Amino acid sequence: KSPVANGAHYFMLGRVDEKDPPGVLRESGFGVEFPNYIVDVLKDPETGEYKEAIQFQCLERGGVRVFEGINFMSRNSKMSDAEMSDMHERAKMAGMYPYGASPEQMHTVAFKPPGDTDNSWQAMWRAIGVDKLLELLTESIEDGGR
């Protein structure tokens, strides 16, 4: 179980690196910087603002995939079944199903309103030193997967 899935704070720092191709956001989180590929966006036809985005992260070291993640993100805190189905279809069209983007392979992270989200899982992670491990990962992985 992940503290993030239980409403833990996850501060994401994103930066654009001129050396990366278009559509890549360098994300720092969990003690690691990795490329976050913007696979798909949905814009509001009236305002032009982004309403949804699909992101893919993959971190490889020594030819071994050590992490991959897929994020469906929306400005709406609650999405309808139809909106979620549309995102899955766009992910499928982008070739992401083999990496875990099908409805059967993904889970929805419950929305938590702002406030105190510290929970027993976060306390356990601190007690066993996961926070220290993440600091070590930060030091050992310097280039974000390049």
Side-chain angles (χ1 to χ4, degrees):
K1 235 176 174 185
S2 163
V4 175
N6 284 312
H9 294 284
Y10 170 53
F11 297 101
M12 181 261 207
L13 172 65
R15 68 179 180 84
V16 175
D17 189 323
E18 296 174 355
K19 297 176 251 177
D20 287 332
V24 175
L25 176 70
R26 292 262 152 201
E27 183 174 344
S28 296
F30 303 105
V32 181
E33 181 184 84
F34 47 88
N36 191 338
Y37 299 91
I38 311 303
V39 176
D40 182 88
V41 295
L42 180 68
K43 288 184 178 182
D44 183 305
E46 294 177 19
T47 65
E49 289 183 349
Y50 293 115
K51 291 176 56 175
E52 298 173 356
I54 300 175
Q55 302 175 330
F56 178 71
Q57 306 93 27
C58 185
L59 189 60
E60 211 173 83
R61 284 291 180 263
V64 176
R65 188 176 306 145
V66 295
F67 173 79
E68 62 185 39
I70 298 168
N71 298 324
F72 285 6
M73 300 184 350
S74 173
R75 289 187 185 268
N76 297 329
S77 60
K78 294 187 180 185
M79 295 181 69
S80 70
D81 289 342
E83 290 170 318
M84 189 62 79
S85 292
D86 288 346
M87 288 191 91
H88 279 289
E89 185 60 29
R90 295 195 322 262
K92 183 177 184 179
M93 297 302 293
M96 296 179 68
Y97 267 32
Y99 301 99
S102 72
E104 301 80 24
Q105 295 171 306
M106 294 183 77
H107 70 274
T108 301
V109 177
F111 175 75
K112 295 266 188 179
D116 184 18
T117 56
D118 197 37
N119 58 49
S120 61
W121 281 97
Q122 289 173 283
M124 181 193 68
W125 274 37
R126 283 191 301 273
I128 63 175
V130 172
D131 55 337
K132 303 294 186 229
L133 177 61
L134 294 177
E135 288 176 23
L136 288 172
L137 281 170
T138 300
E139 294 172 12
S140 65
I141 301 173
E142 298 176 355
D143 65 353
R146 282 188 217 140

